[in-house]
Amino acid sequence: MKKVCGILLASGLILGVSYSSTNVAEASTKIITYKNCTELNKVYRGGVARSASVKNKGGKTYYKPFVSQALYDANKSKDRDHDFIACEK
C-alpha cells in the first residue's frame, strides 16, 4: 500500500511540474508586430530568427538572435536580405 501511494504521489508531482513549465514557456513570448527594426532591437538586440538552424547572409553579427517562428512571421517584412533573421545586428 505504501509503494502504491508513493508511486502515485511521484507521478502526480512529475505531471504537475511538466504541465506548469509548458504553460510558462508559451506565455513568455508575446507576438508583437514592431514598426521598424529600431523598435524590435530595443527588445531583441540580435533580431529575431525563424529557427535555430538559420545562418546570417550579411556577415558577422554582434548579438545572437532570439529564435521564435511566430515572432519572425509577425515581423517578416523587416528581413531585408531574406535570410530568415529579421533585424539582425
Side-chain angles (χ1 to χ4, degrees):
M1 184 68 174
K2 287 183 180 180
K3 286 184 180 181
V4 173
C5 289
I7 292 171
L8 288 174
L9 180 62
S11 60
L13 287 172
I14 291 170
L15 288 174
V17 169
S18 65
Y19 177 74
S20 65
S21 65
T22 56
N23 288 342
V24 171
E26 291 172 5
S28 64
T29 306
K30 293 181 182 177
I31 308 305
I32 298 173
T33 302
Y34 293 93
K35 289 191 309 186
N36 52 37
C37 283
T38 304
E39 296 294 318
L40 190 139
N41 287 135
K42 286 180 184 178
V43 181
Y44 304 103
R45 294 177 91 181
V48 178
R50 184 172 170 91
S51 70
S53 64
V54 297
K55 302 291 182 194
N56 183 20
K57 286 183 185 176
K60 184 171 176 68
T61 57
Y62 294 104
Y63 304 106
K64 187 174 181 178
F66 179 77
V67 178
S68 172
Q69 182 176 353
L71 190 60
Y72 173 83
D73 289 341
N75 295 284
K76 187 187 298 190
S77 63
K78 287 139 190 88
D79 184 11
R80 293 182 288 172
D81 54 359
H82 306 288
D83 60 353
F84 299 108
I85 305 173
C87 301
E88 63 265 22
K89 273 190 169 182

